[in-house]
Amino acid sequence: MGGLNAFEHGGNIYNAVRRGSNVANILDFSANINPLGLSDSLRQSLLANLDRITAYPDADAHDLKTAISRYYDVDRRSITAGNGAVELLYVLCNTVRPRQVLVPAPTFSEYERAARSSGSEVKHLYLNSQNDFQINIYNLIYEIQTNPVDILFIGNPNNPTGTIMKTQELEPIIRAAQLRNTFVVVDESFLDFLVDDTHYTCRRLLPLYQNLIILHSLTKFYAIPGLRLGFALASPKLTNLMHKGKDPWNVNSLAQCAGVAALADHDFRRTTKQLINQAKDDFYDQIKLISSLRPYQPSVNFILVDISNTKMKSYQLRTQLAQQDILIRDCSNYPGLSDCYIRLAVKKSDQNNHLLRALQNICR
């Protein structure tokens, strides 16, 4: 087991199974998925609507958009439904056809990959580990003003660093970008894991800034990575263009039904937020007790960890844990990171404790 390919992700349990692991025994900390799994209401919706797959999906995703519009309080004319948020990155880049994009790094690699697929040149703005990878607002605005780009990507919360910015911090960036005709894509795919996102979401800014695009995944919070579901929010004009540039049946019937059921399930949402909020703090505190590990303060359901004091490379730690059927995210292929970093998903406390015991044995 060596290093990762440039755009390889976590969550690949199939590789582990092909190497001889039993899928039922795998603890996957490499993908940031809700550890509660499918909610009962979502499972029942999938079973009840199984026969819908004999007809084409609703190309307008009417019921899903209505549910998104109500839950997130957004204009349905601003919604593009996607087969996961990542699909919409590609639709957006192939619609806008940016010549240059700016990506603060480290961050989710699909921003760069989607941009390059549309022929764009990608510039990285490297963030400083000594500053916990926080974005310096003034530096970023200066970069936009002096070296204009067509699209700026910002993960909020950012994957894999866990940094998060308040709306009042993001608005000056969006405003400065608008003056330079730069689209700003704010990826809010993990925001649902916050107990309260009021001070962090840019949704209220949508009517004010035509250059703002918000990406949102429903895959992670509702534990449906094998089904995939997400949406983009943008001006009605750009939304209309994105609709013309995508597969008309890009979101299958079961995914649309799942989204409607998921967004109506307030109990599941409340239970998940409570579990993650407590588990991430406990997990972070316990990792800190392992002297050779330096975890970064998490905001949601994953934790970036500096392992440089273990004297091991990330692929070595990944390999040793994989031999115990524990998968972690080796962060060596993130621009701006190295083989001194891993990322751990936050799971249930008993699962987190299982990983902690393994780390204590390996990293002592």
XYZ file of all heavy atoms in Angstrom, residues 194-272:
625
model
N -23.637 21.385 11.921
C -23.626 22.368 13.010
C -24.960 22.343 13.740
O -26.014 22.112 13.137
C -23.397 23.776 12.467
C -22.028 24.124 11.869
C -22.033 25.580 11.420
C -20.919 23.892 12.888
N -24.928 22.610 15.024
C -26.179 22.702 15.772
C -27.022 23.848 15.229
O -28.239 23.742 15.078
C -25.883 22.903 17.271
C -27.169 23.178 18.053
C -25.174 21.666 17.830
N -26.367 24.952 14.879
C -27.072 26.127 14.352
C -26.164 26.804 13.321
O -25.052 27.237 13.657
C -27.394 27.099 15.491
C -28.144 28.343 15.017
O -28.447 28.435 13.806
O -28.419 29.222 15.856
N -26.613 26.890 12.063
C -25.751 27.458 11.015
C -26.073 28.925 10.722
O -25.544 29.503 9.771
C -25.849 26.628 9.724
C -27.198 26.792 9.015
O -28.044 27.583 9.478
O -27.398 26.129 7.986
N -26.903 29.542 11.545
C -27.400 30.890 11.256
C -26.279 31.881 10.937
O -26.410 32.687 10.008
C -28.214 31.427 12.462
O -29.255 30.511 12.762
C -28.789 32.808 12.154
N -25.197 31.816 11.692
C -24.135 32.818 11.542
C -23.073 32.394 10.521
O -22.061 33.087 10.358
C -23.470 33.090 12.895
C -24.415 33.664 13.903
N -24.998 34.898 13.752
C -24.914 33.148 15.063
C -25.798 35.145 14.771
N -25.768 34.095 15.579
N -23.284 31.263 9.848
C -22.262 30.737 8.948
C -22.737 30.574 7.502
O -21.926 30.621 6.589
C -21.757 29.385 9.468
C -21.129 29.489 10.831
C -21.880 29.234 11.980
C -19.804 29.888 10.985
C -21.314 29.357 13.249
C -19.228 30.013 12.242
C -19.988 29.745 13.366
O -19.434 29.880 14.616
N -24.017 30.354 7.273
C -24.483 30.144 5.912
C -24.566 31.456 5.132
O -24.857 32.516 5.707
C -25.866 29.465 5.892
O -26.265 29.308 4.519
C -26.903 30.291 6.635
N -24.312 31.350 3.832
C -24.418 32.526 2.956
C -25.772 32.589 2.260
O -25.956 33.399 1.339
C -23.303 32.483 1.908
S -21.670 32.899 2.561
N -26.716 31.754 2.668
C -27.994 31.711 1.941
C -28.685 33.068 1.917
O -29.285 33.450 0.912
C -28.916 30.650 2.568
C -28.422 29.223 2.364
C -29.497 28.215 2.754
N -29.848 28.274 4.155
C -29.215 27.594 5.118
N -28.194 26.821 4.811
N -29.610 27.683 6.382
N -28.594 33.824 3.002
C -29.280 35.123 3.035
C -28.630 36.135 2.092
O -29.240 37.168 1.773
C -29.324 35.677 4.459
C -27.981 36.108 5.025
C -28.154 36.828 6.343
N -26.888 37.195 6.951
C -26.154 38.249 6.591
N -26.577 39.033 5.598
N -25.006 38.511 7.184
N -27.415 35.839 1.633
C -26.721 36.762 0.725
C -27.093 36.523 -0.737
O -26.757 37.335 -1.601
C -25.195 36.609 0.881
C -24.598 36.876 2.262
C -23.080 36.724 2.217
C -24.967 38.279 2.756
N -27.759 35.412 -1.015
C -28.037 35.063 -2.415
C -28.764 36.166 -3.192
O -28.361 36.481 -4.329
C -28.858 33.767 -2.483
C -28.058 32.462 -2.476
C -29.004 31.277 -2.314
C -27.239 32.319 -3.754
N -29.795 36.787 -2.629
C -30.488 37.838 -3.408
C -29.630 39.090 -3.621
O -29.931 39.914 -4.482
C -31.716 38.174 -2.543
C -31.864 37.019 -1.600
C -30.476 36.523 -1.347
N -28.563 39.224 -2.842
C -27.751 40.447 -2.885
C -26.582 40.363 -3.854
O -26.089 41.388 -4.335
C -27.202 40.752 -1.479
C -28.229 40.862 -0.351
C -27.526 41.098 0.985
C -29.216 41.988 -0.642
N -26.100 39.139 -4.125
C -24.880 38.986 -4.921
C -25.115 37.986 -6.063
O -25.290 36.791 -5.820
C -23.720 38.522 -4.036
C -23.368 39.520 -2.978
C -23.858 39.397 -1.678
C -22.562 40.627 -3.276
C -23.551 40.336 -0.705
C -22.250 41.566 -2.309
C -22.747 41.422 -1.030
O -22.447 42.364 -0.064
N -25.094 38.497 -7.275
C -25.305 37.645 -8.449
C -24.120 36.720 -8.703
O -24.230 35.769 -9.488
C -25.525 38.532 -9.686
C -26.732 39.440 -9.592
C -28.039 38.663 -9.521
O -28.365 37.939 -10.444
N -28.775 38.789 -8.426
N -22.993 37.004 -8.069
C -21.787 36.184 -8.291
C -21.632 35.070 -7.243
O -20.638 34.365 -7.257
C -20.527 37.059 -8.253
C -20.288 37.694 -6.888
O -21.231 38.037 -6.180
N -19.021 37.830 -6.526
N -22.605 34.941 -6.343
C -22.513 33.934 -5.280
C -23.181 32.632 -5.701
O -24.310 32.628 -6.204
C -23.176 34.469 -3.994
C -23.328 33.465 -2.847
C -21.962 32.979 -2.355
C -24.125 34.099 -1.696
N -22.484 31.550 -5.501
C -23.015 30.202 -5.741
C -22.759 29.390 -4.474
O -21.630 29.386 -3.953
C -22.306 29.518 -6.930
C -22.512 30.341 -8.202
C -22.804 28.092 -7.127
C -21.323 30.335 -9.116
N -23.786 28.729 -3.970
C -23.644 27.881 -2.785
C -23.838 26.433 -3.192
O -24.815 26.093 -3.873
C -24.679 28.274 -1.699
C -24.440 29.706 -1.230
C -24.599 27.307 -0.516
C -25.508 30.229 -0.278
N -22.902 25.606 -2.801
C -23.033 24.166 -3.017
C -23.447 23.513 -1.709
O -22.993 23.926 -0.626
C -21.700 23.568 -3.465
C -21.331 23.658 -4.937
C -19.966 23.033 -5.151
C -22.367 22.971 -5.813
N -24.269 22.475 -1.822
C -24.714 21.797 -0.606
C -24.915 20.324 -0.914
O -25.588 19.974 -1.880
C -26.024 22.402 -0.113
C -26.283 22.167 1.344
N -26.250 23.173 2.281
C -26.551 21.043 2.015
C -26.497 22.682 3.476
N -26.684 21.372 3.341
N -24.335 19.483 -0.101
C -24.510 18.036 -0.241
C -25.525 17.536 0.774
O -25.531 17.980 1.918
C -23.172 17.328 -0.026
O -23.355 15.930 0.072
N -26.385 16.624 0.342
C -27.257 15.916 1.285
C -26.744 14.497 1.502
O -27.282 13.743 2.312
C -28.696 15.890 0.751
C -29.342 17.264 0.576
C -30.719 17.148 -0.084
C -29.476 17.982 1.908
N -25.716 14.136 0.756
C -25.153 12.789 0.804
C -24.580 12.460 2.169
O -24.800 11.368 2.698
C -24.048 12.658 -0.262
O -24.640 12.758 -1.557
C -23.303 11.341 -0.150
N -23.824 13.394 2.740
C -23.061 13.097 3.950
C -23.949 13.078 5.191
O -23.893 12.152 5.985
C -21.930 14.120 4.096
C -20.962 14.097 2.918
C -20.096 15.322 2.845
C -19.191 15.266 1.629
N -19.936 15.371 0.354
N -24.759 14.104 5.346
C -25.566 14.209 6.565
C -26.600 13.091 6.632
O -26.897 12.568 7.704
C -26.259 15.577 6.617
C -26.936 15.864 7.925
C -26.226 16.417 8.984
C -28.271 15.561 8.102
C -26.847 16.668 10.196
C -28.906 15.811 9.312
C -28.192 16.371 10.363
N -27.163 12.727 5.463
C -28.218 11.712 5.458
C -27.695 10.323 5.100
O -28.492 9.413 4.848
C -29.350 12.161 4.526
C -30.001 13.416 5.048
C -29.710 14.669 4.481
C -30.862 13.382 6.140
C -30.272 15.836 4.986
C -31.427 14.537 6.650
C -31.131 15.763 6.070
O -31.691 16.902 6.584
N -26.358 10.184 5.061
C -25.711 8.873 4.906
C -26.178 8.136 3.651
O -26.549 6.962 3.708
C -25.935 8.027 6.156
N -26.130 8.831 2.514
C -26.536 8.193 1.261
C -25.453 8.356 0.191
O -25.760 8.728 -0.950
C -27.893 8.743 0.754
C -27.914 10.290 0.757
C -29.042 8.177 1.565
C -29.168 10.899 0.137
N -24.173 8.045 0.505
C -23.137 8.209 -0.515
C -23.329 7.286 -1.708
O -22.875 7.591 -2.809
C -21.837 7.881 0.238
C -22.252 7.042 1.392
C -23.610 7.559 1.786
N -23.998 6.155 -1.499
C -24.242 5.254 -2.626
C -25.422 5.681 -3.476
O -25.637 5.139 -4.564
N -26.208 6.618 -2.973
C -27.366 7.128 -3.713
C -27.038 8.470 -4.354
O -27.358 8.703 -5.504
C -28.549 7.281 -2.746
C -29.945 7.460 -3.332
C -30.325 6.272 -4.194
C -30.967 7.620 -2.195
N -26.432 9.331 -3.567
C -25.919 10.634 -3.969
C -27.042 11.663 -4.198
O -27.985 11.416 -4.917
C -25.032 10.544 -5.217
C -23.901 9.545 -5.043
C -22.726 9.770 -5.976
N -22.199 11.121 -5.947
C -21.538 11.653 -4.924
N -21.314 10.951 -3.854
N -21.088 12.889 -4.989
N -26.864 12.821 -3.546
C -27.841 13.897 -3.687
C -27.230 15.206 -3.198
O -26.583 15.239 -2.151
C -29.105 13.585 -2.869
C -30.286 14.532 -3.046
C -30.763 14.566 -4.495
C -31.433 14.109 -2.130
N -27.430 16.255 -3.950
C -26.959 17.572 -3.540
C -27.677 18.645 -4.334
O -28.533 18.352 -5.184
N -27.351 19.885 -4.044
C -27.967 20.977 -4.812
C -27.056 22.187 -4.818
O -26.155 22.317 -3.984
C -29.352 21.339 -4.263
C -29.383 21.811 -2.838
C -29.243 23.157 -2.531
C -29.566 20.905 -1.806
C -29.282 23.592 -1.219
C -29.606 21.331 -0.476
C -29.472 22.680 -0.189
N -27.291 23.042 -5.813
C -26.586 24.319 -5.907
C -27.604 25.436 -5.821
O -28.741 25.296 -6.300
C -25.802 24.411 -7.216
N -27.193 26.543 -5.209
C -28.018 27.739 -5.139
C -27.269 28.864 -5.840
O -26.084 29.085 -5.568
C -28.278 28.124 -3.677
C -28.921 27.051 -2.794
C -28.964 27.515 -1.332
C -30.328 26.726 -3.278
N -27.952 29.553 -6.742
C -27.313 30.634 -7.500
C -28.390 31.595 -7.986
O -29.590 31.386 -7.739
C -26.523 30.054 -8.676
N -27.987 32.613 -8.674
C -28.960 33.536 -9.245
C -29.860 32.769 -10.223
O -29.419 31.781 -10.831
C -28.237 34.664 -9.984
O -27.608 34.144 -11.152
N -31.111 33.186 -10.389
C -31.984 32.502 -11.353
C -31.372 32.457 -12.760
O -31.551 31.467 -13.476
C -33.261 33.354 -11.316
C -33.290 33.901 -9.913
C -31.847 34.189 -9.590
N -30.637 33.486 -13.144
C -30.028 33.506 -14.480
C -28.996 32.381 -14.619
O -29.022 31.617 -15.596
C -29.349 34.862 -14.722
C -28.669 34.958 -16.077
C -27.986 36.325 -16.242
C -27.248 36.410 -17.573
N -26.553 37.720 -17.721
N -28.084 32.266 -13.646
C -27.069 31.208 -13.722
C -27.711 29.833 -13.535
O -27.313 28.855 -14.175
C -25.988 31.438 -12.660
C -24.857 30.408 -12.633
C -24.153 30.323 -13.995
C -23.850 30.726 -11.537
N -28.714 29.757 -12.659
C -29.415 28.487 -12.450
C -30.018 27.991 -13.753
O -29.938 26.805 -14.095
C -30.509 28.655 -11.382
O -29.890 29.060 -10.155
C -31.269 27.361 -11.166
N -30.609 28.890 -14.511
C -31.203 28.526 -15.797
C -30.137 27.986 -16.755
O -30.356 26.995 -17.463
C -31.890 29.750 -16.403
C -32.689 29.407 -17.630
O -33.391 28.402 -17.659
N -32.588 30.241 -18.657
N -28.967 28.617 -16.750
C -27.879 28.154 -17.620
C -27.380 26.770 -17.178
O -27.072 25.915 -18.020
C -26.721 29.155 -17.589
C -26.969 30.501 -18.274
C -25.787 31.452 -18.025
C -27.176 30.305 -19.770
N -27.298 26.549 -15.863
C -26.839 25.247 -15.373
C -27.839 24.149 -15.727
O -27.444 23.020 -16.048
C -26.598 25.307 -13.857
C -25.376 26.140 -13.484
S -25.123 26.298 -11.700
C -24.775 24.608 -11.227
N -29.107 24.479 -15.691
C -30.121 23.492 -16.088
C -29.920 23.066 -17.542
O -30.068 21.889 -17.882
C -31.520 24.073 -15.897
C -32.078 23.831 -14.538
N -32.667 22.642 -14.165
C -32.108 24.612 -13.442
C -33.038 22.707 -12.899
N -32.708 23.906 -12.443
N -29.588 24.003 -18.375
C -29.397 23.689 -19.791
C -28.129 22.866 -20.020
O -28.001 22.202 -21.047
C -29.329 24.985 -20.604
C -30.662 25.734 -20.651
C -30.508 27.043 -21.413
C -31.844 27.787 -21.457
N -31.725 29.118 -22.125
N -27.205 22.936 -19.052
C -25.928 22.267 -19.249
C -25.795 20.918 -18.571
O -24.718 20.323 -18.579
N -26.892 20.426 -17.996
C -26.791 19.152 -17.270
C -27.685 18.092 -17.910
O -28.575 18.401 -18.705
C -27.170 19.334 -15.803
C -28.645 19.585 -15.564
C -28.970 19.637 -14.090
C -30.468 19.820 -13.856
N -31.305 18.745 -14.418
N -27.443 16.856 -17.518
C -28.323 15.745 -17.875
C -29.718 16.050 -17.320
O -29.853 16.323 -16.125
C -27.732 14.472 -17.239
C -28.645 13.261 -17.349
O -29.779 13.386 -17.827
O -28.199 12.178 -16.928
N -30.782 16.010 -18.144
C -32.110 16.361 -17.622
C -32.597 15.415 -16.527
O -33.422 15.791 -15.698
C -33.014 16.282 -18.863
C -32.251 15.485 -19.865
C -30.808 15.725 -19.582
N -32.101 14.163 -16.516
C -32.528 13.184 -15.497
C -31.376 12.872 -14.551
O -31.154 11.716 -14.161
C -33.013 11.903 -16.186
C -34.137 12.148 -17.125
C -35.410 12.516 -16.823
C -34.072 12.067 -18.551
N -36.155 12.666 -17.967
C -35.354 12.391 -19.057
C -33.072 11.739 -19.475
C -35.649 12.404 -20.408
C -33.375 11.750 -20.828
C -34.645 12.082 -21.275
N -30.615 13.891 -14.185
C -29.390 13.645 -13.404
C -29.648 13.135 -11.991
O -28.790 12.492 -11.407
C -28.521 14.917 -13.344
C -29.210 16.065 -12.631
O -30.418 16.199 -12.675
N -28.426 16.918 -11.988
N -30.821 13.432 -11.432
C -31.134 12.945 -10.080
C -32.192 11.853 -10.200
O -33.327 12.121 -10.627
C -31.642 14.076 -9.173
C -31.888 13.550 -7.755
C -30.628 15.220 -9.121
N -31.836 10.637 -9.831
C -32.768 9.524 -10.031
C -33.972 9.614 -9.096
O -33.969 10.363 -8.107
C -32.034 8.180 -9.889
C -31.610 7.920 -8.473
O -32.440 7.666 -7.596
N -30.301 7.998 -8.220
N -34.985 8.831 -9.403
C -36.264 8.928 -8.685
C -36.115 8.619 -7.200
O -36.718 9.288 -6.348
C -37.274 7.962 -9.301
O -37.486 8.262 -10.658
N -35.335 7.597 -6.873
C -35.186 7.238 -5.455
C -34.455 8.322 -4.683
O -34.777 8.608 -3.528
C -34.455 5.898 -5.331
C -35.228 4.677 -5.815
C -34.397 3.418 -5.656
C -36.555 4.533 -5.061
N -33.448 8.929 -5.301
C -32.729 10.014 -4.635
C -33.657 11.205 -4.379
O -33.583 11.844 -3.319
C -31.530 10.437 -5.476
N -34.532 11.508 -5.351
C -35.473 12.617 -5.151
C -36.421 12.320 -3.987
O -36.662 13.179 -3.128
C -36.262 12.868 -6.436
C -35.404 13.410 -7.577
C -36.234 13.874 -8.771
O -37.354 14.352 -8.601
N -35.668 13.752 -9.965
N -36.945 11.095 -3.945
C -37.833 10.723 -2.832
C -37.083 10.755 -1.495
O -37.625 11.185 -0.473
C -38.404 9.320 -3.066
S -39.517 9.221 -4.472
N -35.846 10.277 -1.519
C -35.045 10.256 -0.297
C -34.836 11.670 0.233
O -34.907 11.909 1.447
C -33.698 9.591 -0.571
N -34.582 12.603 -0.665
C -34.371 13.990 -0.251
C -35.596 14.590 0.402
O -35.497 15.290 1.429
N -36.752 14.317 -0.178
C -38.006 14.840 0.398
C -38.224 14.264 1.793
O -38.552 14.983 2.753
C -39.194 14.512 -0.523
C -40.518 14.890 0.153
C -39.051 15.239 -1.857
N -38.032 12.949 1.923
C -38.230 12.302 3.235
C -37.210 12.808 4.246
O -37.543 13.065 5.409
C -38.116 10.783 3.076
N -35.973 12.960 3.807
C -34.906 13.375 4.725
C -35.168 14.765 5.286
O -35.021 15.004 6.492
C -33.567 13.333 4.006
N -35.545 15.675 4.419
C -35.725 17.057 4.868
C -36.954 17.232 5.757
O -37.115 18.270 6.401
C -35.792 17.993 3.656
C -34.469 18.121 2.887
C -34.641 18.891 1.587
C -33.414 18.794 3.762
N -37.829 16.222 5.788
C -39.005 16.289 6.668
C -38.732 15.651 8.023
O -39.576 15.708 8.916
C -40.185 15.583 5.995
N -37.558 15.041 8.189
C -37.278 14.271 9.398
C -36.528 15.119 10.422
O -35.300 15.076 10.536
C -36.467 13.024 9.035
C -36.468 11.996 10.160
O -36.668 12.405 11.318
O -36.263 10.806 9.872
N -37.273 15.858 11.191
C -36.664 16.774 12.167
C -35.992 16.015 13.313
O -34.966 16.461 13.841
C -37.723 17.723 12.722
C -38.408 18.518 11.666
N -37.751 19.441 10.896
C -39.692 18.497 11.213
C -38.592 19.980 10.029
N -39.778 19.414 10.197
N -36.560 14.873 13.720
C -35.979 14.117 14.841
C -34.588 13.580 14.482
O -33.656 13.651 15.293
C -36.902 12.945 15.219
C -38.172 13.410 15.892
O -38.188 14.561 16.388
O -39.148 12.644 15.911
N -34.452 13.040 13.273
C -33.154 12.508 12.844
C -32.115 13.619 12.806
O -30.970 13.437 13.224
C -33.298 11.864 11.462
C -32.016 11.309 10.912
C -31.519 10.092 11.359
C -31.295 12.002 9.942
C -30.326 9.572 10.852
C -30.109 11.493 9.438
C -29.624 10.275 9.893
N -32.542 14.769 12.310
C -31.614 15.899 12.202
C -31.159 16.357 13.607
O -29.977 16.587 13.838
C -32.294 17.035 11.450
C -31.334 18.017 10.842
C -31.922 18.786 9.681
N -33.327 19.032 9.780
C -34.242 18.475 8.968
N -33.890 17.646 8.031
N -35.534 18.758 9.107
N -32.108 16.455 14.519
C -31.765 16.899 15.874
C -30.843 15.881 16.566
O -29.839 16.269 17.192
C -33.047 17.097 16.693
C -32.801 17.621 18.102
C -34.094 18.008 18.797
N -35.070 16.932 18.840
C -36.172 16.866 18.119
N -36.461 17.853 17.278
N -36.995 15.850 18.200
N -31.157 14.606 16.415
C -30.338 13.561 17.040
C -28.915 13.571 16.485
O -27.934 13.448 17.224
C -30.984 12.182 16.799
O -32.307 12.181 17.324
C -30.166 11.078 17.456
N -28.791 13.724 15.171
C -27.468 13.743 14.543
C -26.643 14.925 15.030
O -25.466 14.786 15.389
C -27.609 13.824 13.012
O -28.216 12.633 12.535
C -26.250 14.003 12.349
